[in-house]
Each structure stands twice: as structure tokens, then as C-alpha cells.
């Protein structure tokens, strides 16, 4: 019942029929993970749909150079679309997933999710929204990779994921993992942005000091890193 109460805080689960809620109560399993904990490994069978209740999941790949690179993040109320693709098409998971911060997840077993998909319009809506959101995020990331240098990609990430008060709680190692580069490169870029007055760097967080200046830095690049 606890998992159902947490799920129904989010649309579309709040629109489930009585029978759908009963099914979910019987099958959904809660999972809690500390920041950095691995949830799914590449090549692993996907046991079901992963719906974030709190915290955030990070889906990432590993580049040929051995660096991690974030594909997309799964926020509260969202589900991991790659796991949906795996459970509908009987595929192994093609990337890695970890808790980006302390995270609580509801795992809806594959057979149960497929049954809910057949009978609940709101689950169909969730699935289609997840697919469209993934396409948008991956296209945005692909555009950033080809259009921005590392400095601009770092600025883009800071602007996109900072809180409303301009604080991004992250480490330089985590930033490197998101951008698919080394911590040394990120450290150099952050140091430069701090020296120019755009950012302030503290242990475990970055603070925006010049919001409009950062936005101007996202003009088309003239060269690489």
C-alpha cells in the first residue's frame, strides 16, 4: 500500500482504475539506493519498469576512452524508457543505471506493467510520454555534443540542472561522468569559470554568480576545448 500511495502522488498513477490500483499493490516493489549505487548493469535483463519516487536516476554509457557519459536523467514521477523498451521487446539493458543521489524507486514487474498497459489508458499515456521525452533529451544532448565545446557543455549542464537559487549539488567527478570527459578537464573548466566570475565552487556544489553571463557563453563555439 505504501508504494501505491507514493505512486499515486504522480500523474498518471493517480488516474488508475480500482482494478489497476489493486494490481499495482500486489506487484510493485520499492527499492532504495544511496547516491552512486548501481541499479542496472549493461547486459542485464530488465526486471520491470523503474519509476522514480524521490531522488534521481542517471542512465549512462561508457565511451571508448573509458569515460562515463550521461545519456539522460530520470526525475521523480518519471520512468526509465530503456527499461520499458527492454520489457516490451525482451531485450537486455543496453546501458548502466545508478542513483544520482539518494533515490527511492518503485519497480513494476514486466508482466504486470504489460497488463496495466493493456487495460489502463493512463499507463499508455505514461509510456508514450516517456518515449517522446527520451527522444527530445537525446536529441538535445546529441546537438550539444556536436555544437558545443566542453566548456559550453559544462555551462549548459549547470544552467539546466541548478536549483532555482542557482545551486548545483555535484562533484567535479560527477560532472565529468555526465559530460563524458575526465575530472581534470572539468576541474580546469570550472576553475576558469570561477576566475572569470561566472561561478563559485565549493565542496560538493557549484553556485551560479553571473546567470546572464553564463547564458551568453552558449553562443556557437569557435574551436574545441
Amino acid at each position: 500500500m505504501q508504494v501505491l500511495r507514493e505512486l499515486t502522488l504522480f500523474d498518471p498513477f493517480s488516474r488508475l482504475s480500482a482494478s489497476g490500483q489493486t494490481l499495482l499493490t500486489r506487484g510493485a516493489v520499492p527499492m532504495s539506493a544511496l547516491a552512486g549505487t548501481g541499479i542496472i548493469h549493461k547486459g542485464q535483463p530488465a526486471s520491470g519498469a523503474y519509476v522514480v519516487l524521490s531522488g534521481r536516476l542517471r542512465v549512462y554509457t561508457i565511451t571508448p576512452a573509458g569515460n562515463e557519459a550521461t545519456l539522460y536523467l530520470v526525475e521523480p514521477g518519471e520512468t526509465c524508457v530503456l527499461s520499458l523498451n527492454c520489457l516490451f521487446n525482451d531485450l537486455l539493458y543496453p546501458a548502466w543505471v545508478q542513483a544520482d543521489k539518494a533515490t527511492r524507486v518503485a519497480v513494476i514487474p514486466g508482466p504486470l506493467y504489460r497488463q496495466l498497459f493493456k487495460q489502463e489508458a493512463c499507463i499508455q499515456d505514461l509510456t508514450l510520454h516517456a518515449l517522446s521525452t527520451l527522444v527530445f533529451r537525446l536529441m538535445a544532448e546529441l546537438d550539444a555534443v556536436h555544437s558545443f565545446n566542453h566548456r559550453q557543455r559544462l555551462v549548459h549542464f549547470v544552467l539546466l540542472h541548478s536549483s532555482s537559487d542557482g545551486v548545483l549539488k555535484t562533484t567535479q567527478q560527477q560532472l565529468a561522468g555526465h559530460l563524458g570527459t575526465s575530472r581534470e578537464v572539468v576541474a580546469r573548466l570550472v576553475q576558469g569559470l570561477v576566475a572569470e566570475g561566472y561561478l563559485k565552487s565549493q565542496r560538493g556544489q557549484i553556485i551560479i554568480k553571473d546567470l546572464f553571463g553564463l547564458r551568453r557563453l552558449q553562443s556557437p563555439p569557435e574551436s574545441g576545448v
Side-chain angles (χ1 to χ4, degrees):
M1 288 297 293
Q2 175 63 30
V3 177
L4 177 62
R5 283 195 293 269
E6 292 180 78
L7 282 170
T8 52
L9 292 175
F10 303 104
D11 185 71
F13 294 99
S14 60
R15 296 186 278 118
L16 280 171
S17 66
S19 61
Q21 292 186 19
T22 300
L23 287 171
L24 204 57
T25 301
R26 293 174 181 171
V29 179
M31 174 190 298
S32 297
L34 298 176
T37 302
I39 305 296
I40 308 176
H41 296 277
K42 185 174 183 179
Q44 175 181 331
S47 57
Y50 292 76
V51 182
V52 176
L53 301 173
S54 62
R56 185 168 63 195
L57 292 179
R58 171 180 172 246
V59 182
Y60 67 96
T61 188
I62 296 178
T63 70
N67 297 318
E68 295 181 4
T70 299
L71 296 175
Y72 59 93
L73 301 171
V74 188
E75 304 286 351
E78 297 179 345
T79 184
C80 174
V81 70
L82 286 181
S83 67
L84 295 183
N85 184 56
C86 289
L87 69 87
F88 276 111
N89 295 289
D90 193 27
L91 300 172
L92 298 179
Y93 199 84
W96 287 265
V97 181
Q98 69 174 194
D100 195 48
K101 58 176 83 172
T103 301
R104 183 169 169 81
V105 177
V107 183
I108 305 174
L112 172 57
Y113 191 90
R114 288 192 291 268
Q115 184 175 353
L116 288 171
F117 182 83
K118 288 179 181 179
Q119 70 182 52
E120 300 284 342
C122 61
I123 300 301
Q124 296 169 15
D125 290 343
L126 171 67
T127 306
L128 292 175
H129 177 72
L131 288 169
S132 61
T133 299
L134 174 66
V135 170
F136 176 81
R137 289 177 180 173
L138 289 181
M139 287 302 295
E141 179 61 26
L142 184 62
D143 182 64
V145 167
H146 289 286
S147 302
F148 294 166
N149 56 35
H150 277 98
R151 175 180 162 101
Q152 290 169 317
R153 290 185 64 209
L154 172 61
V155 168
H156 176 74
F157 188 89
V158 171
L159 289 172
L160 185 63
H161 296 288
S162 292
S163 62
S164 58
D165 57 355
V167 177
L168 175 62
K169 294 187 179 299
T170 188
T171 65
Q172 292 182 357
Q173 185 62 58
Q174 288 172 322
L175 282 173
H178 287 304
L179 301 178
T181 187
S182 67
R183 191 191 65 80
E184 290 74 20
V185 169
V186 169
R188 175 168 57 83
L189 294 173
V190 169
Q191 184 179 19
L193 291 168
V194 168
E196 294 171 49
Y198 295 112
L199 300 175
K200 180 179 180 180
S201 180
Q202 297 179 342
R203 184 176 180 84
Q205 66 179 17
I206 289 174
I207 302 169
I208 296 175
K209 293 184 64 179
D210 183 355
L211 176 60
F212 295 104
L214 278 183
R215 289 174 177 171
R216 288 193 296 270
L217 291 180
Q218 290 192 85
S219 58
E222 297 180 358
S223 60
V225 177

